[in-house]
Amino acid sequence: MAVTIELLKKDPASRARRGRLQTPHGTVETPVFMPVGTQASVKTLNPEEVRDLGARIILSNTYHLYLRPGHDLVAEAGGLHKFMNWDGAMLTDSGGFQVFSLSELRKITEEGVKFRSHLDGSEHFLSPEKAIEIENALGADIIMAFDECTPWPCEWTYAKNSLERTTRWAKRCQEAHRRPHDQALFGIIQGSTFADLRRMSAEQIVALDFPGYAVGGLSVGEPKELMAEMLEVTVPLIPEDKPRYLMGVGSPEDLVEGVWRGIDMFDCVLPTRIARHGTVFLPEGKLTVRNSEFARDFRPIQEGCDCYACRNYTRAYIRHLLKAEEMLGLRLCSIHNLRFLVREMEEIRAALDAGTFADYRRQFLSRWHEGERARKEKHSSLGPAEPPVPDNR
C-alpha cells in the first residue's frame, strides 16, 4: 500500500495511539495536525515556513484546485508537490464538503452533484469518478473518497439514505482509482449524530477495505458532547492497523479529546482563519491581540513560545500591524497559531511515549477551559470587542 501506519504504543488509559505514518513523501509521526493549504498554499506562509513550524504533512482542496487553476494544469506542472514546492506528505480531500456546503447552488443525484461555481456561477458536475480523476492528477499521497457530508441537524432518514449513497460512491471511487501504488485512497464514515447510523456506515465502509479511514460529517455545528459520543461509537469499529482521520477538527481542546478517543490525523482551517481576525491560541485559551488593551503590551503573544512571531515581535507591534491592515500581522498570527497546534501534537506524542497522556490531557483541558471561561466573563463585562477586519482576502 502507498500509505501505512506503524503503531508504536497504545495508551493504557484511553484509545490514544502513538504511531508513524509511512508515505511516498516521507515519514509522519502521529498523532498529527495537518495545516490546510486550500488553494495549494497555507494562507500567508511559504512552504519553507510551514516546514519550519514542524509540519510534515499538509492538506489541499480538490474543489478549489479543480475550479482554479485546474487539475490538468497542475498535472502538467508535475503534480501538486512540484507545483507548490512542497516536498513533504500531502492529503487532498474530495471536494465533497465544499460542494455540499454550496446548498442552494447544487443538486444531488445518484450519479453525482451538479453545482455552480462560487467564483463565476459556471455549472459543473462532480461525480465519484470525476473526483478521483482530479485527485489522481493532483498527485497527493492520500486522497479521499467522494462522499456526501450531511448537515447538522438532519433527519434520521435523510442521514441513512445519505450514508448509503456515500457507500455506493466509495465503491465507485475504488473502481476509478488509477494510482493505488503511490496514492492511498481513504474511505469516509458518515451517519450524522445518530449512533446506529455511525455503526452502519463504519461497517459498510470498513468492509470495502480501504488503506485508511476518515470520520466525516462532524464539527459541522453539533455540540462537542455529540461529537465525542460519535467518536466513541465509531472509532472502535475502525481496524487498528489503519490510519484514523477526523476531518475538519483543529481547535486545541478538540485535538486532545480526539487523540484520547483514538484519532491519528486532524486538519482544520481554524488556526489561519482566526489569525486573519487577530485571534491567537494560548494555553489558557484564545486571545484577540488586535483589541485596544494590547496597544502597549510589549510581551510576545505567548511567553516561552518558540515560534518566529513570539521570538521576534510584541503584542503591541502585531496589534499595530493588524489595525493598519498590514499583511505581516496576519502572517505572524498564522505562524503562531499553526506552531501552537503542531507543538501541541508534539507534546501529546511525547506524553504518549512517556505514558503520561492522561495527566497531560487533564492539565491541558483544565488550563484551557478555565482560561476560556475567564476570557468570556471579562469580555461580557467590558462589552463587545472591536470588530474584526473584514475577511475579504
Side-chain angles (χ1 to χ4, degrees):
M1 291 186 289
V3 171
T4 59
I5 190 168
E6 176 189 3
L7 295 182
L8 304 177
K9 198 161 188 177
K10 295 181 183 178
D11 181 55
S14 68
R15 292 196 180 96
R17 303 124 59 88
R18 172 75 170 89
R20 189 165 289 147
L21 204 64
Q22 302 293 346
T23 82
H25 284 85
T27 299
V28 178
E29 303 294 329
T30 66
V32 64
F33 174 78
M34 301 179 286
V36 176
T38 300
Q39 304 193 70
S41 172
V42 177
K43 294 287 188 189
T44 76
L45 275 65
N46 66 44
E48 291 75 21
E49 289 170 322
V50 176
R51 177 168 281 278
D52 288 345
L53 295 171
R56 295 296 177 265
I57 180 170
I58 62 173
L59 179 144
S60 206
N61 182 263
T62 294
Y63 165 84
H64 287 282
L65 295 176
Y66 161 68
L67 291 179
R68 182 177 57 191
H71 57 293
D72 291 337
L73 186 149
V74 174
E76 185 180 340
L80 196 51
H81 288 89
K82 190 172 182 181
F83 186 57
M84 66 177 293
N85 192 34
W86 173 256
D87 62 359
M90 188 182 300
L91 181 151
T92 49
D93 61 15
S94 67
F97 176 81
Q98 284 72 26
V99 168
F100 294 111
S101 67
L102 292 173
S103 183
E104 302 301 321
L105 300 177
R106 47 84 169 159
K107 180 180 179 182
I108 306 170
T109 67
E110 184 63 26
E111 285 306 304
V113 184
K114 184 182 291 186
F115 67 96
R116 290 193 177 277
S117 165
H118 72 287
L119 297 174
D120 59 11
S122 58
E123 191 172 275
H124 301 267
F125 182 75
L126 197 58
S127 65
E129 292 79 10
K130 184 65 175 180
I132 295 301
E133 175 193 330
I134 297 166
E135 292 193 270
N136 282 167
L138 296 176
D141 304 82
I142 299 170
I143 64 176
M144 304 306 300
F146 189 61
D147 65 323
E148 181 179 354
C149 182
T150 50
W152 184 87
C154 69
E155 297 290 336
W156 184 91
T157 301
Y158 181 93
K160 179 177 182 294
N161 292 337
S162 174
L163 79 85
E164 290 176 338
R165 180 184 289 122
T166 288
T167 300
R168 294 191 294 272
W169 284 358
K171 294 177 183 176
R172 288 166 58 185
C173 287
Q174 286 182 320
E175 293 167 358
H177 188 23
R178 296 291 177 263
R179 297 179 57 178
H181 57 288
D182 63 355
Q183 289 184 299
L185 172 63
F186 282 20
I188 303 176
I189 297 165
Q190 290 289 346
S192 188
T193 52
F194 302 100
D196 58 337
L197 297 186
R198 282 285 167 182
R199 293 188 189 96
M200 181 186 299
S201 182
E203 289 168 2
Q204 292 179 6
I205 297 297
V206 168
L208 296 177
D209 193 26
F210 286 96
Y213 299 92
V215 181
L218 295 177
S219 193
V220 292
E222 80 282 358
K224 290 183 183 292
E225 296 77 13
L226 263 181
M227 180 171 71
E229 182 182 335
M230 293 305 102
L231 290 178
E232 295 280 0
V233 168
T234 307
V235 172
L237 301 177
I238 301 175
E240 283 203 349
D241 62 343
K242 302 290 181 70
R244 302 163 174 174
Y245 165 31
L246 179 56
M247 305 181 78
V249 170
S251 64
E253 74 275 28
D254 289 346
L255 295 182
V256 173
E257 294 289 53
V259 170
W260 182 260
R261 290 166 174 83
I263 296 295
D264 305 307
M265 305 163 64
F266 304 83
D267 83 282
C268 195
V269 298
L270 181 68
T272 51
R273 176 172 289 169
I274 67 172
R276 296 196 292 277
H277 299 300
T279 298
V280 291
F281 295 132
L282 297 179
E284 356 359 274
K286 296 186 289 292
L287 178 147
T288 302
V289 74
R290 70 184 308 276
N291 287 349
S292 58
E293 62 188 291
F294 303 111
R296 288 178 169 79
D297 191 335
F298 301 112
R299 296 174 294 171
I301 293 174
Q302 177 187 339
E303 297 285 358
C305 176
D306 60 359
C307 82
Y308 172 78
C310 289
R311 286 186 285 110
N312 293 281
Y313 301 102
T314 66
R315 295 176 178 184
Y317 178 65
I318 294 171
R319 178 183 182 272
H320 155 68
L321 295 174
L322 294 166
K323 297 294 289 184
E325 298 189 35
E326 287 288 343
M327 185 61 71
L328 180 57
L330 312 185
R331 279 174 38 76
L332 295 175
C333 290
S334 295
I335 287 170
H336 172 78
N337 282 349
L338 287 169
R339 178 56 190 153
F340 185 97
L341 296 186
V342 169
R343 184 174 57 245
E344 178 184 345
M345 302 310 282
E346 291 171 353
E347 293 169 354
I348 287 173
R349 293 195 296 268
L352 288 169
D353 286 336
T356 58
F357 180 54
D359 290 336
Y360 177 90
R361 172 180 178 253
R362 183 176 59 255
Q363 293 168 10
F364 184 97
L365 293 177
S366 174
R367 188 176 181 184
W368 175 269
H369 290 310
E370 286 178 14
E372 280 289 275
R373 278 194 296 270
R375 179 180 68 88
K376 290 173 182 176
E377 290 172 2
K378 176 182 178 182
H379 286 174
S380 64
S381 66
L382 292 175
E386 295 184 27
V389 176
D391 188 9
N392 54 11
R393 296 174 178 82

Coordinates of all heavy atoms in Angstrom, one line a residue, residues 12-74:
P12 N -2.6 3.2 27.9 CA -3.4 2.2 28.8 C -4.7 2.8 29.3 O -5.6 2.1 29.7 CB -2.4 1.9 29.9 CG -1.5 3.0 30.0 CD -1.3 3.5 28.6
A13 N -4.8 4.2 29.4 CA -6.0 4.8 30.0 C -7.0 5.2 29.0 O -8.1 5.7 29.4 CB -5.5 6.0 30.8
S14 N -6.7 5.1 27.7 CA -7.6 5.6 26.6 C -7.4 4.8 25.4 O -6.7 3.8 25.3 CB -7.4 7.1 26.4 OG -6.1 7.2 25.7
R15 N -8.0 5.3 24.3 CA -7.8 4.6 23.0 C -6.7 5.3 22.2 O -6.5 5.0 21.0 CB -9.1 4.7 22.1 CG -10.2 3.8 22.7 CD -11.3 3.6 21.7 NE -12.4 2.8 22.2 CZ -13.5 3.3 22.7 NH1 -13.7 4.6 22.8 NH2 -14.5 2.5 23.2
A16 N -6.0 6.3 22.8 CA -5.0 7.0 22.1 C -3.9 6.1 21.7 O -3.5 5.1 22.3 CB -4.4 8.1 23.1
R17 N -3.3 6.4 20.5 CA -2.2 5.6 19.9 C -1.1 6.5 19.5 O -1.3 7.7 19.1 CB -2.7 4.9 18.6 CG -3.9 4.0 18.7 CD -5.0 4.5 17.7 NE -4.6 4.5 16.3 CZ -4.7 3.5 15.5 NH1 -5.1 2.3 16.0 NH2 -4.4 3.6 14.2
R18 N 0.1 6.0 19.6 CA 1.3 6.7 19.1 C 1.8 5.9 17.9 O 1.9 4.7 17.9 CB 2.4 6.7 20.2 CG 3.8 7.2 19.7 CD 3.8 8.7 19.6 NE 5.2 9.1 19.3 CZ 5.7 9.2 18.1 NH1 5.1 8.9 17.0 NH2 7.0 9.6 18.0
G19 N 1.9 6.6 16.7 CA 2.3 5.8 15.5 C 3.2 6.6 14.6 O 3.7 7.7 14.9
R20 N 3.4 6.0 13.5 CA 4.3 6.5 12.4 C 3.7 6.2 11.1 O 3.5 5.0 10.7 CB 5.7 5.9 12.6 CG 6.7 6.6 11.8 CD 8.1 6.1 12.3 NE 8.5 6.7 13.6 CZ 9.2 6.1 14.5 NH1 9.6 4.9 14.3 NH2 9.5 6.8 15.6
L21 N 3.3 7.3 10.3 CA 2.7 7.1 9.0 C 3.8 7.1 8.0 O 4.6 8.0 7.9 CB 1.8 8.3 8.8 CG 0.6 8.1 7.8 CD1 -0.4 7.1 8.3 CD2 -0.1 9.5 7.7
Q22 N 3.8 6.0 7.2 CA 4.8 6.0 6.1 C 4.1 6.4 4.8 O 3.1 5.8 4.4 CB 5.4 4.5 6.0 CG 6.0 4.0 7.2 CD 7.3 4.8 7.6 OE1 7.9 5.5 6.8 NE2 7.8 4.6 8.8
T23 N 4.6 7.4 4.1 CA 4.0 7.9 2.9 C 5.1 7.9 1.8 O 6.3 7.9 2.1 CB 3.4 9.3 3.0 OG1 4.5 10.3 2.9 CG2 2.7 9.4 4.4
P24 N 4.7 8.1 0.5 CA 5.7 8.2 -0.6 C 6.6 9.5 -0.4 O 7.6 9.5 -1.1 CB 4.8 8.3 -1.8 CG 3.6 7.5 -1.5 CD 3.3 7.9 0.0
H25 N 6.1 10.4 0.4 CA 6.9 11.7 0.5 C 7.4 11.8 2.0 O 7.6 12.9 2.5 CB 6.1 12.9 0.1 CG 6.0 13.0 -1.4 ND1 5.0 12.4 -2.1 CD2 6.8 13.7 -2.3 CE1 5.2 12.7 -3.4 NE2 6.2 13.5 -3.5
G26 N 7.7 10.7 2.6 CA 8.3 10.8 3.9 C 7.5 10.2 5.1 O 6.3 9.9 4.9
T27 N 8.1 10.2 6.2 CA 7.5 9.7 7.4 C 6.8 10.8 8.2 O 7.4 11.9 8.4 CB 8.6 9.0 8.3 OG1 9.2 7.9 7.6 CG2 8.0 8.4 9.6
V28 N 5.6 10.5 8.7 CA 4.9 11.4 9.5 C 4.6 10.8 10.9 O 4.0 9.7 11.0 CB 3.6 11.8 8.8 CG1 2.8 12.8 9.7 CG2 3.8 12.4 7.5
E29 N 5.1 11.5 12.0 CA 4.8 11.0 13.3 C 3.3 11.3 13.7 O 2.8 12.4 13.4 CB 5.7 11.6 14.3 CG 7.2 11.4 14.0 CD 7.6 10.0 14.2 OE1 7.0 9.3 15.0 OE2 8.6 9.6 13.5
T30 N 2.6 10.4 14.3 CA 1.2 10.5 14.7 C 1.1 10.3 16.2 O 1.9 9.6 16.8 CB 0.3 9.6 13.9 OG1 0.6 8.2 14.3 CG2 0.5 9.7 12.4
P31 N 0.0 11.0 16.8 CA -1.0 11.8 16.2 C -0.4 13.1 15.6 O 0.6 13.6 16.0 CB -1.9 12.1 17.4 CG -1.6 11.1 18.4 CD -0.2 10.8 18.2
V32 N -1.1 13.6 14.5 CA -0.6 14.7 13.8 C -1.7 15.7 13.4 O -2.8 15.3 13.1 CB 0.1 14.3 12.5 CG1 -0.8 13.6 11.5 CG2 0.9 15.4 11.8
F33 N -1.4 17.0 13.4 CA -2.3 18.0 12.9 C -1.7 18.4 11.5 O -0.5 18.7 11.4 CB -2.3 19.3 13.8 CG -3.1 20.4 13.2 CD1 -4.5 20.3 13.2 CD2 -2.5 21.4 12.6 CE1 -5.3 21.3 12.6 CE2 -3.2 22.5 12.0 CZ -4.6 22.4 12.0
M34 N -2.6 18.5 10.5 CA -2.2 18.9 9.2 C -2.7 20.3 8.8 O -3.9 20.6 8.8 CB -2.9 17.9 8.2 CG -2.5 16.4 8.4 SD -3.3 15.3 7.2 CE -5.0 15.3 7.8
P35 N -1.7 21.2 8.7 CA -2.1 22.6 8.2 C -2.8 22.5 6.9 O -2.5 21.6 6.0 CB -0.8 23.3 8.1 CG 0.1 22.6 9.0 CD -0.3 21.2 8.9
V36 N -3.8 23.4 6.7 CA -4.6 23.4 5.4 C -4.1 24.4 4.4 O -4.0 25.6 4.8 CB -6.1 23.6 5.8 CG1 -6.9 23.7 4.5 CG2 -6.6 22.5 6.7
G37 N -3.8 23.9 3.3 CA -3.4 24.8 2.1 C -4.4 24.7 1.1 O -4.2 24.0 0.0
T38 N -5.6 25.2 1.3 CA -6.8 25.0 0.5 C -6.5 25.2 -1.0 O -6.8 24.3 -1.8 CB -7.9 26.1 0.8 OG1 -8.2 25.9 2.2 CG2 -9.1 25.9 0.0
Q39 N -5.8 26.2 -1.4 CA -5.6 26.5 -2.8 C -4.1 26.4 -3.2 O -3.5 27.2 -3.8 CB -6.1 27.9 -3.2 CG -7.6 28.1 -2.8 CD -8.2 29.3 -3.4 OE1 -8.4 29.4 -4.6 NE2 -8.5 30.2 -2.6
A40 N -3.5 25.2 -2.7 CA -2.1 25.0 -2.8 C -1.2 26.0 -2.1 O -0.1 26.3 -2.6 CB -1.7 24.9 -4.3
S41 N -1.7 26.5 -1.0 CA -1.0 27.5 -0.2 C -1.6 27.6 1.2 O -2.8 27.8 1.3 CB -1.0 28.9 -0.9 OG -0.4 29.9 -0.1
V42 N -0.7 27.4 2.2 CA -1.2 27.7 3.5 C -1.2 29.2 3.7 O -0.2 29.9 3.5 CB -0.2 27.0 4.6 CG1 -0.6 27.4 6.0 CG2 -0.2 25.5 4.4
K43 N -2.4 29.7 4.0 CA -2.6 31.2 4.0 C -1.4 32.0 4.6 O -1.1 31.8 5.7 CB -3.9 31.5 4.8 CG -5.1 31.0 4.2 CD -5.6 31.7 2.9 CE -6.9 31.2 2.5 NZ -7.3 31.7 1.1
T44 N -0.8 32.8 3.7 CA 0.2 33.8 4.0 C 1.6 33.2 4.3 O 2.5 34.0 4.5 CB -0.2 34.7 5.2 OG1 0.0 34.0 6.5 CG2 -1.6 35.3 5.1
L45 N 1.7 31.9 4.3 CA 3.0 31.3 4.6 C 3.6 30.6 3.3 O 2.8 30.1 2.5 CB 2.9 30.2 5.7 CG 3.0 30.7 7.1 CD1 1.8 31.6 7.5 CD2 3.0 29.5 8.1
N46 N 4.9 30.6 3.2 CA 5.5 29.8 2.1 C 5.9 28.4 2.7 O 5.9 28.2 3.9 CB 6.7 30.5 1.5 CG 7.9 30.6 2.5 OD1 8.2 29.7 3.3 ND2 8.5 31.8 2.6
P47 N 6.1 27.4 1.8 CA 6.3 26.0 2.2 C 7.5 25.9 3.2 O 7.4 25.1 4.1 CB 6.6 25.3 0.9 CG 5.9 26.1 -0.1 CD 6.0 27.5 0.3
E48 N 8.5 26.7 3.0 CA 9.7 26.6 3.9 C 9.3 27.0 5.4 O 9.7 26.4 6.3 CB 10.8 27.5 3.5 CG 11.5 27.0 2.2 CD 10.6 27.3 0.9 OE1 9.7 28.1 1.0 OE2 10.9 26.6 -0.1
E49 N 8.4 28.0 5.5 CA 7.9 28.4 6.8 C 7.1 27.4 7.4 O 7.1 27.1 8.6 CB 7.2 29.7 6.7 CG 8.1 30.9 6.4 CD 7.3 32.2 6.0 OE1 6.3 32.1 5.3 OE2 7.7 33.3 6.4
V50 N 6.2 26.7 6.6 CA 5.4 25.6 7.1 C 6.2 24.5 7.6 O 6.0 23.9 8.7 CB 4.4 25.1 6.0 CG1 3.6 24.0 6.5 CG2 3.5 26.3 5.6
R51 N 7.3 24.1 6.9 CA 8.2 23.1 7.3 C 8.9 23.5 8.6 O 9.1 22.7 9.5 CB 9.2 22.7 6.2 CG 10.2 21.7 6.7 CD 11.0 21.2 5.5 NE 10.2 20.2 4.7 CZ 10.1 18.9 5.1 NH1 10.7 18.5 6.2 NH2 9.4 18.1 4.3
D52 N 9.3 24.8 8.7 CA 10.0 25.2 9.9 C 9.1 25.2 11.2 O 9.6 25.1 12.3 CB 10.5 26.7 9.7 CG 11.7 26.8 8.8 OD1 12.3 25.7 8.5 OD2 12.0 27.9 8.3
L53 N 7.8 25.2 11.0 CA 6.9 25.1 12.1 C 6.9 23.6 12.6 O 6.3 23.4 13.7 CB 5.4 25.4 11.6 CG 5.2 26.8 11.2 CD1 3.8 27.0 10.6 CD2 5.3 27.8 12.4
G54 N 7.4 22.7 11.9 CA 7.4 21.3 12.3 C 6.4 20.4 11.6 O 6.3 19.2 11.8
A55 N 5.7 21.0 10.6 CA 4.7 20.3 9.8 C 5.4 19.4 8.8 O 6.3 19.8 8.1 CB 3.7 21.2 9.2
R56 N 4.9 18.1 8.7 CA 5.4 17.2 7.7 C 4.4 16.7 6.7 O 4.7 15.9 5.8 CB 6.1 16.0 8.4 CG 7.4 16.4 9.2 CD 8.4 17.0 8.3 NE 9.6 17.5 9.0 CZ 9.8 18.7 9.4 NH1 8.9 19.7 9.1 NH2 10.9 19.1 10.1
I57 N 3.1 17.2 6.9 CA 2.0 16.8 6.0 C 1.0 17.9 6.0 O 0.8 18.5 7.1 CB 1.3 15.5 6.4 CG1 0.2 15.1 5.5 CG2 0.9 15.5 7.9 CD1 -0.4 13.7 5.7
I58 N 0.5 18.3 4.8 CA -0.4 19.3 4.7 C -1.6 18.8 3.9 O -1.6 17.8 3.2 CB 0.1 20.6 4.1 CG1 0.6 20.3 2.6 CG2 1.3 21.2 4.9 CD1 1.1 21.5 1.9
L59 N -2.7 19.6 3.9 CA -3.9 19.3 3.2 C -4.2 20.3 2.1 O -4.0 21.5 2.3 CB -5.1 19.1 4.1 CG -6.5 18.8 3.5 CD1 -7.2 17.9 4.5 CD2 -7.3 20.1 3.3
S60 N -4.7 19.9 1.0 CA -5.1 20.8 -0.1 C -6.5 20.4 -0.6 O -6.9 19.3 -0.3 CB -4.1 20.9 -1.2 OG -4.2 22.1 -1.9
N61 N -7.2 21.3 -1.3 CA -8.6 21.1 -1.6 C -8.9 20.8 -3.1 O -8.6 21.7 -3.9 CB -9.4 22.3 -1.1 CG -10.9 22.1 -1.3 OD1 -11.4 22.6 -2.3 ND2 -11.5 21.4 -0.4
T62 N -9.5 19.7 -3.3 CA -9.8 19.3 -4.7 C -10.8 20.2 -5.4 O -10.6 20.6 -6.6 CB -10.4 17.8 -4.7 OG1 -9.4 16.9 -4.2 CG2 -10.9 17.4 -6.1
Y63 N -11.8 20.6 -4.7 CA -12.9 21.5 -5.3 C -12.2 22.8 -5.8 O -12.4 23.2 -6.9 CB -13.9 21.8 -4.2 CG -14.8 23.0 -4.6 CD1 -16.0 22.8 -5.4 CD2 -14.6 24.2 -4.0 CE1 -16.8 23.8 -5.7 CE2 -15.4 25.3 -4.3 CZ -16.5 25.1 -5.2 OH -17.4 26.2 -5.5
H64 N -11.5 23.5 -4.9 CA -10.9 24.8 -5.3 C -9.8 24.6 -6.4 O -9.8 25.5 -7.3 CB -10.2 25.4 -4.0 CG -11.2 25.9 -3.1 ND1 -11.9 27.1 -3.3 CD2 -11.7 25.4 -1.9 CE1 -12.7 27.3 -2.3 NE2 -12.6 26.3 -1.4
L65 N -9.0 23.6 -6.4 CA -8.0 23.4 -7.4 C -8.6 23.0 -8.7 O -8.0 23.3 -9.8 CB -6.9 22.4 -6.9 CG -6.1 22.9 -5.7 CD1 -5.2 21.8 -5.2 CD2 -5.3 24.2 -6.0
Y66 N -9.7 22.3 -8.7 CA -10.4 21.9 -9.9 C -10.9 23.2 -10.6 O -10.8 23.3 -11.8 CB -11.6 21.0 -9.6 CG -12.6 20.9 -10.6 CD1 -12.4 20.3 -11.9 CD2 -13.9 21.4 -10.4 CE1 -13.4 20.2 -12.9 CE2 -14.9 21.3 -11.4 CZ -14.6 20.8 -12.6 OH -15.6 20.7 -13.5
L67 N -11.5 24.1 -9.8 CA -12.0 25.3 -10.4 C -10.9 26.3 -10.8 O -11.0 27.0 -11.8 CB -13.0 26.0 -9.4 CG -14.3 25.3 -9.1 CD1 -15.1 26.1 -8.1 CD2 -15.1 25.1 -10.3
R68 N -9.8 26.3 -10.0 CA -8.7 27.3 -10.3 C -7.5 26.8 -9.7 O -7.5 26.6 -8.4 CB -9.1 28.6 -9.7 CG -8.1 29.7 -10.0 CD -8.7 31.1 -9.4 NE -9.0 31.0 -8.0 CZ -9.7 32.0 -7.4 NH1 -10.1 33.0 -8.0 NH2 -9.9 31.8 -6.1
P69 N -6.4 26.4 -10.4 CA -6.2 26.7 -11.8 C -6.6 25.6 -12.7 O -6.5 25.7 -14.0 CB -4.6 26.8 -11.9 CG -4.2 25.8 -10.9 CD -5.2 25.9 -9.7
G70 N -7.1 24.5 -12.2 CA -7.5 23.3 -13.0 C -6.5 22.2 -12.8 O -5.3 22.4 -12.7
H71 N -7.0 21.0 -12.6 CA -6.2 19.8 -12.3 C -5.3 19.4 -13.4 O -4.2 18.9 -13.2 CB -7.0 18.6 -11.8 CG -8.0 18.2 -12.9 ND1 -9.1 18.9 -13.2 CD2 -8.1 17.0 -13.6 CE1 -9.8 18.3 -14.1 NE2 -9.2 17.1 -14.4
D72 N -5.7 19.7 -14.7 CA -4.8 19.4 -15.8 C -3.6 20.3 -15.8 O -2.5 19.8 -16.1 CB -5.6 19.6 -17.1 CG -6.7 18.6 -17.3 OD1 -6.6 17.5 -16.7 OD2 -7.7 18.9 -18.1
L73 N -3.7 21.5 -15.4 CA -2.6 22.4 -15.4 C -1.6 21.9 -14.3 O -0.4 21.9 -14.5 CB -3.0 23.8 -15.1 CG -2.0 24.9 -15.1 CD1 -2.6 26.2 -15.6 CD2 -1.3 25.1 -13.8
V74 N -2.2 21.5 -13.1 CA -1.3 21.1 -12.0 C -0.6 19.8 -12.4 O 0.6 19.7 -12.2 CB -2.2 20.8 -10.8 CG1 -1.3 20.2 -9.7 CG2 -2.8 22.1 -10.2

